[in-house]
Amino acid sequence: MLATITVVTSANKQRVFVQNDREVFEELCASLQRYQQFFKRKTLILASKSETEIFLPASLTRIEIQSSEDVGRFLPDGRDSVITAVEPANPIPDATVGADVFSGRVDFFFHGGDNLTTWVQGPLASTQIERIANFNNVFDQGVVTYIPQVGGIGFMNPDVMTHVLIHVGARHLPADAWRVDRQL
């Protein structure tokens, strides 16, 4: 099997598809050049010889293309941070925040109850203003990419995210951030 494609809806329902044909798999991967528009398209059509399924992309929380192949090589450059799905039940190391790098657990939550636990590694924005802007713009991206637990590439829809939990306190926050402690 070349790829397993999992589509997760905002009703927290999953549909799983497979692709075994090398030529068709390459065509599918070539279409990833336009991944930033996945959730803005009118339809996402997944078709086989026996059936055709049509999704409203705006109602999807995630799409995962799991493969032992390097599917990420088909994406355009420009992704600074690496987001990798992890199993929340497994031990996860403490976050590391350096002068210019971050690594730590970040959980993404979606309408309908879907959630994704990840490990994020990447550079911190170079100025305090850019770091604050990153908090304010977290839901403004067209797509957030990640690496599924078994390899491949995943796409999250920020338009149906309810919140993001970063498992470390922030040094620089927007002026209108509410400073609180969570009740346990």
Side-chain angles (χ1 to χ4, degrees):
M1 177 172 23
L2 292 171
T4 300
I5 301 163
T6 304
V7 177
V8 185
T9 71
S10 58
N12 202 14
K13 302 292 182 192
Q14 292 188 8
R15 299 286 291 157
V16 180
F17 306 88
V18 296
Q19 181 46 256
N20 295 309
D21 181 292
R22 168 64 61 188
E23 185 176 328
V24 175
F25 174 73
E26 294 288 332
E27 289 172 9
L28 184 151
C29 290
S31 75
L32 298 179
Q33 289 290 317
R34 298 174 304 280
Y35 79 94
Q36 285 290 348
Q37 287 82 37
F38 268 159
F39 302 110
K40 303 293 185 206
R41 294 169 40 179
K42 290 173 116 178
T43 58
L44 173 64
I45 303 168
L46 294 134
S48 70
K49 292 176 184 169
S50 61
E51 63 184 14
T52 302
E53 196 153 354
I54 304 169
F55 291 93
L56 175 64
S59 71
L60 302 177
T61 62
R62 296 184 289 131
I63 300 169
E64 283 188 357
I65 302 171
Q66 299 171 340
S67 178
S68 59
E69 309 252 340
D70 180 14
V71 181
R73 68 185 162 95
F74 292 93
L75 302 182
D77 291 335
R79 297 171 293 133
D80 294 329
S81 296
V82 176
I83 302 173
T84 306
V86 296
E87 177 58 48
N90 292 343
I92 298 173
D94 291 335
T96 303
V97 182
D100 56 356
V101 295
F102 168 81
S103 62
R105 178 179 171 174
V106 177
D107 296 335
F108 296 89
F109 297 87
F110 303 89
H111 290 286
D114 183 28
N115 66 310
L116 181 66
T117 300
T118 68
W119 183 260
V120 177
Q121 291 181 267
L124 285 175
S126 59
T127 69
Q128 180 177 343
I129 291 171
E130 289 173 321
R131 290 176 188 171
I132 291 171
N134 286 344
F135 284 115
N136 286 326
N137 299 327
V138 70
F139 302 111
D140 291 344
Q141 303 172 64
V143 172
V144 177
T145 61
Y146 66 99
I147 301 168
Q149 292 180 34
V150 295
I153 193 74
F155 305 96
M156 289 184 266
N157 183 356
D159 287 343
V160 294
M161 284 181 188
T162 59
H163 67 287
V164 176
L165 174 58
I166 304 166
H167 290 266
V168 66
R171 293 183 197 150
H172 308 287
L173 292 168
D176 61 351
W178 295 5
R179 296 176 188 273
V180 296
D181 290 317
R182 193 165 107 191
Q183 185 176 0
L184 301 175

